[in-house]
Amino acid sequence: MAAGAGAGRGGREVPLGGGAAGDSAAMLRNGAAGGGAAAQRPVRVWCDGCYDMVHYGHSNQLRQARAMGDYLIVGVHTDEEIAKHKGPPVFTQEERYKMVQAIKWVDEIAPGAPYVTTLETLDKYNCDFCVHGDDITLTIDGKDTYEEVKTAGRYRECKRTQGVSTTDLVGRMLLMTKAHHSNIDEDLDYRKHTDNFGKGPKGHSPWTGVSQFLQTSQKIIQFASGKEPQPGDTIIYVAGAFDLFHIGHVDFLEKVHQLAESPYIIAGLHFDQEVNRYKGKNYPIMNIHERTLSVLACRYVSEVVIGAPYAVTADLLDHFKVTLVCHGMTEVVPDKDGSDPYEEPKRRGIFQLVDSGSNLTTDLIVQRIIKNRLEFEARNQKKEAKELAVLEAMKRLEEEKH
């Protein structure tokens, strides 16, 4: 995979977890100790996971990890490993590899990474340390998968993104409720479901529980590229819901990206009410704020229009100096007045249909989830029970200390 922006900058001193031993280990690995003026090499960071149903929480973890070093390698587990430790994944390993590669902070992926992170893996990929969120990952036996690297002082933590989890997204799909993007009274079924999903019979796990996502301008700035279009760039506009940002979207955006030598892709995201008008049911599964971050995390997208008009207007095309407007092979629903939303770009001769070669839609993903509903719920309850057992053990250790 081509290195992302900023890969391979001059090495940086990055303190590791594990106190002084960790610090000296970092310095040694970066040629800063012993050799005095020895040349520093880039700091290489390791992350790993299932990355099943990739969402902006995963992207945010990878963004934070990338900021701790110069080059980020992401290990992705196989279907077999995930099925053994957690239960069947929603997406195949090939789909998951492609999704992770499309995140703009990822420099390289390591397919088929082992479920338990070892020093051997870090050394194999020449990584200084690994980064994980401040939740916990357990093996089938209930052991911390990062125990070995933590002990060796080659582990760092980043903050988990509040308000999103695969568990919550699955819940939204299973219930077919609009409570997640509605500001009217919260649906009681949804609240009951989130309570059940984030609460075992003996208590509540802070890692599996569901909390509300609060969008901030700072979060958007962190995700945005901040790059203006340059002279010679081909400004391409695409619009849609981009709900549950998935491999079908990635395939489409990659194809669009290949249409020009120097593409600058602007993605227009429709407001929740608009998406619900043309998609019905409880769509969108993710609200406008969540969808914005998901799309901004994609390496093929340069800019996002939050709450873009459904009809691609002359004003919009002129304002952004759009050269080309693209749409996938999915059906285009007429605007409220029955008109074609792409009438203006077609009139200008700048409209192009793009076949991504993927038939995956948000609808199909939801069908996959619902088909496996019982397995997903059983998987989540097991995960919750393991987490609560670890919490209890941690509490006992604390009590023994005092």
Side-chain angles (χ1 to χ4, degrees):
M1 170 103 205
R9 295 193 302 273
R12 261 182 287 170
E13 301 261 332
V14 182
L16 305 181
D23 292 344
S24 60
M27 292 174 77
L28 278 167
R29 280 193 294 283
N30 284 294
Q40 289 193 348
R41 64 165 181 79
V43 173
R44 289 166 68 88
V45 182
W46 173 269
C47 277
D48 55 27
C50 304
Y51 300 103
D52 193 22
M53 277 183 64
V54 170
H55 51 66
Y56 60 90
H58 294 118
S59 301
N60 195 33
Q61 180 221 356
L62 297 174
R63 179 191 67 78
Q64 292 176 80
R66 180 64 172 71
M68 294 180 193
D70 304 293
Y71 193 84
L72 176 63
I73 302 175
V74 182
V76 185
H77 311 317
T78 61
D79 296 346
E80 194 183 351
E81 279 278 87
I82 298 170
K84 180 181 159 191
H85 293 279
K86 286 179 84 170
V90 182
F91 293 100
T92 68
Q93 59 203 42
E94 294 307 321
E95 288 170 331
R96 292 182 292 105
Y97 298 157
K98 197 162 191 179
M99 274 305 290
V100 175
Q101 275 191 326
I103 295 169
K104 64 184 177 187
W105 298 286
V106 177
D107 294 303
E108 188 184 324
I109 70 154
Y115 199 79
V116 176
T117 311
T118 62
L119 293 172
E120 188 186 346
T121 301
L122 294 190
D123 292 342
K124 179 183 172 183
Y125 290 94
N126 203 19
C127 289
D128 297 274
F129 53 86
C130 81
V131 177
H132 188 65
D134 54 4
D135 55 346
I136 195 158
T137 310
L138 305 170
T139 65
I140 194 167
D141 310 319
K143 288 179 183 154
D144 183 352
T145 58
Y146 294 96
E147 197 175 333
E148 186 178 315
V149 290
K150 281 178 179 175
T151 307
R154 288 171 71 179
Y155 174 86
R156 293 199 72 186
E157 221 159 65
C158 62
K159 264 195 94 56
R160 181 176 176 271
T161 308
Q162 286 297 334
V164 66
S165 67
T166 303
T167 301
D168 180 34
L169 295 176
V170 169
R172 297 181 198 183
M173 286 177 248
L174 293 178
L175 283 169
M176 283 292 161
T177 168
K178 294 181 193 176
H180 53 277
H181 61 78
S182 168
N183 48 18
I184 53 173
D185 289 344
E186 191 179 337
D187 187 298
L188 286 173
D189 282 346
Y190 178 69
R191 192 160 59 220
K192 186 178 162 198
H193 169 83
T194 56
D195 286 350
N196 289 344
F197 252 69
K199 203 177 282 178
K202 296 182 183 167
H204 178 92
S205 165
W207 303 305
T208 300
V210 176
S211 58
Q212 192 188 355
F213 169 66
L214 301 171
Q215 180 72 288
T216 61
S217 55
Q218 184 60 35
K219 188 61 68 202
I220 293 175
I221 290 164
Q222 287 169 344
F223 271 60
S225 70
K227 288 177 190 159
E228 297 279 330
Q230 299 303 305
D233 282 357
T234 301
I235 299 172
I236 307 174
Y237 182 75
V238 297
F242 291 100
D243 194 14
L244 277 184
F245 194 74
H246 56 70
I247 197 72
H249 297 131
V250 168
D251 286 337
F252 168 68
L253 290 166
E254 186 180 19
K255 280 278 185 350
V256 170
H257 197 265
Q258 290 164 356
L259 293 175
E261 202 173 309
S262 184
Y264 186 93
I265 298 177
I266 300 173
L269 267 61
H270 303 139
F271 277 130
D272 299 338
Q273 294 88 333
E274 192 68 73
V275 175
N276 193 250
R277 177 187 72 81
Y278 65 80
K279 288 203 77 172
K281 295 180 188 167
N282 70 329
Y283 292 114
I285 302 288
M286 283 183 157
N287 67 39
I288 184 74
H289 303 303
E290 297 174 307
R291 291 184 284 120
T292 297
L293 293 187
S294 298
V295 176
L296 279 174
C298 179
R299 65 172 67 247
Y300 305 119
V301 174
S302 302
E303 182 62 290
V304 165
V305 180
I306 304 167
Y310 187 65
V312 182
T313 60
D315 281 352
L316 185 145
L317 296 173
D318 295 340
H319 177 81
F320 291 109
K321 300 180 174 61
V322 175
T323 321
L324 187 62
V325 175
C326 295
H327 189 271
M329 304 311 281
T330 53
E331 180 200 0
V332 176
V333 177
D335 205 348
K336 291 186 195 79
D337 61 1
S339 64
D340 177 357
Y342 291 102
E343 194 178 320
E344 181 60 23
K346 283 175 182 174
R347 191 187 65 75
R348 294 186 184 198
I350 60 168
F351 179 76
Q352 188 173 332
L353 280 174
V354 174
D355 188 351
S356 68
S358 170
N359 65 352
L360 193 62
T361 61
T362 306
D363 245 347
L364 284 172
I365 292 168
V366 172
Q367 283 167 33
R368 280 191 198 185
I369 300 281
I370 290 171
K371 189 173 162 229
N372 293 316
R373 176 174 187 156
L374 294 173
E375 282 187 83
F376 280 114
E377 291 193 342
R379 174 172 98 173
N380 201 72
Q381 282 162 9
K382 271 163 64 179
K383 182 172 181 272
E384 180 83 9
K386 280 186 198 170
E387 287 171 358
L388 286 167
V390 170
L391 272 178
E392 281 300 310
M394 285 160 75
K395 209 165 130 190
R396 279 200 304 274
L397 276 172
E398 278 301 305
E399 285 166 1
E400 282 165 18
K401 279 183 194 169
H402 303 296

